[in-house]
Amino acid sequence: MQKNRPTKPIQSRPATYVPSELLVLKGVGKHFGSVKANSKVSFAIEKGTIHALIGENGAGKSTCAKMIFGMYPPDEGEIFFKGRKAIFSSPVQAKMVGIGMVHQHFMLAGPIPAIDHIILDENKPFRTFVDYLIPLNRSKKKKELKILSEKYNMPVPWDSLVENLSVGTQQRIEILKLLHANTDLLILDEPTAVLNPLEIEAFFKQLRILKEAGKTIIIITHKLSEVRAIADQVTIFRQGQVVGTFKTFEKSAQELAELMVGRALIEQHVPRDKMGSGNHTLSIRDLSLNLNGVTKLEKVTFFMRQKEIVGIAGVEGNGQSELLNSLIRPRIYKGSLKGVIDYKEHLITDLSSDEIRTMGIAFVPEDRLAQAMATELSVEENFILGQQRSSMFSKMGIIFYQKVREKLARATKTFDIRPANGSMPAGHLSGGNQQKLIMARELMSDPGLLIVAQPTRGVDIGASEKIHEQILNVKKEGGSVLLVSSDLDELKKLCDRILVMYSGKIVSQFYYYEFDDRSIGAAMGGASPT
């Protein structure tokens, strides 16, 4: 039995440190081959505070967090936790001393009840054979978890399968796993990326409760408005190094953004037009979808014109995904989809995805990893994914890779895709650079209609600026854009009109001169329009 016990974290005698500092990094570095992900990273986090790590995609934030959590050993420098030097060979060791991490993509199994994730995660490294013979007392565990969830205002239906729970509830499960393990330092990687505005507001209240209870929180985010709303201090990363650590109130959002990207940011001018300036491009009439007796879309009706950006707002799960699928791959709903979809007066309801694309419609899906990329394939192979049969790149089934590389080189420069290496696996790109690659692929054929979902989810401010620029360019060149986003600020910035979806229906419409957070948020929650 002794042989199977995990080794304890290696700790030296106490080092000299300021008592209020829970975590200290001194000259920490990490490299992967010739790539330096972090170099000479130094900063400190005070106990009982919320500390934000910000920076562009690939700036080294997540790598640094993974070293703190024991996923990567540092190649140089030292990490001190609670005044002692800490060297972790695995996340298990980090969890044993009170460090936990909630990843951007949750580590949950859909078909398993919520309570089982807590039970399976319990840190009992010294179990004996007898322990495995004792039946689990789920009712006792539920009582424990009810007390814990009420203490931190994080309700969870513990008997429900995770796959049936909202994203916000799944996030609570991940956080409660850490709290149940008596975690002192919680690392949250892009925690608001999958939440709607109402969920974000509730989430921040929960973070403040955790802080008041003495917990210390690291939040990795790209959203500077959120940093200023919730964080006590902020550490800024650029190109793997720390630019500086500041009290949040010391810097404006503009100053933080410019420190992140290392240059001045120019506010984009967004021309608006009440009704667009051209003919109808997309018309949807009485679109309804019923799957297994459940209404997903109910008489959805709207139109779009040339040179118009129309936004779809709504809490996730109110029909946005089904609407997008109906537009780009309607055949998957054959027999269940009713109504009319036409593009430039051509009916597309019964067409295949390939046929719809050849008509000049481009599509950027909401989940890039599951729906838009093959991460094990190279960057250049992903760049032509879905267009490998196009006359632009092939003839009689033979792909001309020289043409692919020439087109990719131009796109890499235009979209600032880094690193500029077409032969590397696409999975090695940061999330923001993956998104820019997908946008470049979809826009290279100059589409008349761009359908784009969550274009800047998990994307830094520099990459967001570039993506927004390209979306606006579609409008400038005479195209239309249907933009689905959970980021209300993004919709207000880019759109001529915003349509609000609730329970599978379009319940409200707002023109750009009517945009108001409270009114749009109320409509997203199902309130009747005023």
Side-chain angles (χ1 to χ4, degrees):
M1 283 299 191
Q2 295 290 332
K3 289 193 300 183
N4 295 326
R5 294 184 182 181
T7 57
K8 292 183 179 180
I10 301 170
Q11 296 179 323
S12 71
R13 56 188 176 182
T16 302
Y17 77 111
V18 178
S20 65
E21 293 175 340
L22 183 72
L23 180 77
V24 178
L25 279 72
K26 294 184 177 180
V28 173
K30 183 67 184 175
H31 59 80
F32 300 95
S34 60
V35 177
K36 282 192 174 184
N38 284 130
S39 177
K40 299 178 181 178
V41 169
S42 299
F43 64 91
I45 295 178
E46 295 181 13
K47 183 178 180 181
T49 63
I50 299 175
H51 194 111
L53 303 184
I54 66 172
E56 293 188 278
N57 289 105
K61 309 179 302 296
S62 293
T63 300
C64 180
K66 288 173 182 177
M67 285 191 285
I68 296 169
F69 186 49
M71 294 181 71
Y72 298 147
D75 295 322
E76 61 186 17
E78 298 174 309
I79 299 175
F80 295 87
F81 183 65
K82 295 181 180 178
R84 295 178 178 269
K85 185 176 178 180
I87 303 174
F88 307 129
S89 63
S90 73
V92 173
Q93 293 183 341
K95 289 169 69 175
M96 287 171 64
V97 299
I99 301 175
M101 185 170 180
V102 177
H103 301 272
Q104 185 176 356
H105 301 286
F106 302 148
M107 306 294 183
L108 301 173
I112 296 178
I115 189 171
D116 287 2
H117 288 84
I118 305 292
I119 294 169
L120 291 168
D121 189 66
E122 286 189 315
N123 189 19
K124 292 184 178 180
F126 306 126
R127 286 180 177 143
T128 65
F129 178 74
V130 175
D131 291 326
Y132 289 98
L133 299 178
I134 301 173
L136 294 172
N137 190 335
R138 278 186 167 77
S139 60
K140 181 181 177 182
K141 182 59 63 179
K142 266 191 282 187
K143 288 178 182 177
E144 286 179 25
L145 293 172
K146 184 180 178 182
I147 294 170
L148 186 69
S149 59
E150 286 177 352
K151 178 180 178 180
Y152 295 109
N153 191 29
M154 294 186 183
V156 171
W158 292 107
D159 290 323
S160 299
L161 300 182
V162 163
E163 62 190 3
N164 296 330
L165 300 176
S166 70
V167 174
T169 303
Q170 291 181 31
Q171 187 177 68
R172 283 183 221 138
I173 295 170
E174 288 280 35
I175 294 173
L176 286 166
K177 277 165 57 177
L178 302 185
L179 297 174
H180 183 260
N182 296 314
T183 301
D184 298 308
L185 175 63
L186 290 80
I187 305 170
L188 311 178
D189 191 0
E190 298 288 353
T192 63
V194 293
L195 303 180
N196 65 61
L198 299 177
E199 288 175 322
I200 290 171
E201 187 177 337
F203 176 66
F204 281 178
K205 289 180 181 177
Q206 292 161 351
L207 291 189
R208 293 186 183 104
I209 292 171
L210 290 172
K211 175 184 167 181
E212 289 169 7
K215 301 296 182 182
T216 305
I217 300 162
I218 296 176
I219 179 171
I220 303 170
T221 182
H222 296 112
K223 300 180 180 179
L224 299 182
S225 60
E226 295 179 5
V227 170
R228 290 180 56 77
I230 195 67
D232 300 296
Q233 289 185 306
V234 55
T235 293
I236 304 167
F237 283 75
R238 189 167 74 234
Q239 296 181 356
Q241 296 183 310
V242 168
V243 176
T245 297
F246 308 93
K247 298 286 186 184
T248 308
F249 65 81
E250 294 176 342
K251 299 291 181 183
S252 67
Q254 182 74 11
E255 289 173 320
L256 291 175
E258 291 178 357
L259 284 167
M260 282 170 55
V261 301
R263 58 182 170 83
L265 292 172
I266 301 171
E267 184 67 25
Q268 292 169 326
H269 173 64
V270 181
R272 313 275 190 168
D273 190 337
K274 181 178 177 181
M275 291 297 290
S277 57
N279 297 322
H280 285 194
T281 51
L282 180 71
S283 295
I284 297 175
R285 298 188 296 277
D286 294 326
L287 194 67
S288 297
L289 177 65
N290 188 287
L291 297 177
N292 301 318
V294 179
T295 299
K296 297 294 186 179
L297 297 173
E298 185 176 346
K299 294 187 176 180
V300 172
T301 299
F302 67 91
F303 67 89
M304 296 178 61
R305 294 181 184 271
Q306 290 176 301
K307 293 191 175 183
E308 185 181 36
I309 301 177
V310 175
I312 301 288
V315 177
E316 288 191 41
N318 278 277
Q320 301 96 314
S321 295
E322 289 79 9
L323 174 61
L324 293 175
N325 283 329
S326 299
L327 296 177
I328 200 65
R329 39 178 175 261
R331 282 187 177 176
I332 66 172
Y333 296 139
K334 192 171 183 179
S336 302
L337 188 66
K338 310 295 181 185
V340 175
I341 307 171
D342 69 51
Y343 174 66
K344 295 184 178 179
E345 300 182 352
H346 291 86
L347 192 67
I348 65 171
T349 319
D350 297 321
L351 300 183
S352 68
S353 298
D354 285 343
E355 290 169 330
I356 289 171
R357 283 180 176 276
T358 59
M359 296 181 70
I361 299 176
F363 179 50
V364 178
E366 54 193 325
D367 188 337
R368 58 179 170 261
L369 295 180
Q371 300 171 297
M373 296 195 76
T375 54
E376 70 281 3
L377 297 182
S378 70
V379 168
E380 62 184 29
E381 286 170 324
N382 274 273
F383 181 63
I384 61 169
L385 201 61
Q387 303 200 49
Q388 65 271 22
R389 298 183 189 89
S390 165
S391 58
M392 210 173 0
F393 300 121
S394 66
K395 187 175 182 180
M396 299 178 66
I398 299 173
I399 296 175
F400 301 110
Y401 277 97
Q402 185 58 36
K403 289 185 177 180
V404 175
R405 294 181 186 114
E406 289 171 1
K407 196 84 171 177
L408 176 59
R410 289 195 292 271
T412 297
K413 186 175 181 180
T414 301
F415 284 82
D416 190 26
I417 300 169
R418 290 181 269 173
N421 182 350
S423 62
M424 71 182 290
H428 290 184
L429 294 175
S430 66
N433 284 295
Q434 289 176 350
Q435 189 74 350
K436 286 188 284 185
L437 176 65
I438 295 165
M439 289 289 296
R441 179 183 70 207
E442 296 303 311
L443 293 179
M444 67 178 161
S445 57
D446 298 321
L449 171 63
L450 171 65
I451 301 171
V452 55
Q454 314 298 350
T456 58
R457 173 173 285 174
V459 171
D460 64 70
I461 192 166
S464 295
E465 182 186 41
K466 184 61 67 175
I467 290 169
H468 287 170
E469 179 185 317
Q470 296 302 321
I471 289 173
L472 291 169
N473 196 51
V474 173
K475 173 182 175 177
K476 180 181 177 182
E477 296 298 320
S480 307
V481 180
L482 182 63
L483 171 60
V484 178
S485 177
S486 57
D487 186 339
L488 192 52
D489 288 336
E490 180 170 62
L491 291 172
K492 291 190 302 177
K493 176 181 178 180
L494 299 177
C495 295
D496 300 290
R497 286 187 286 148
I498 294 176
L499 309 176
V500 180
M501 287 195 74
Y502 180 76
S503 194
K505 295 180 283 189
I506 301 291
V507 295
S508 293
Q509 174 176 266
F510 299 87
Y511 288 101
Y512 67 91
Y513 51 83
E514 301 173 316
F515 290 170
D516 171 72
D517 284 4
R518 186 174 294 274
S519 299
I520 298 174
M524 290 169 65
S528 299
T530 57

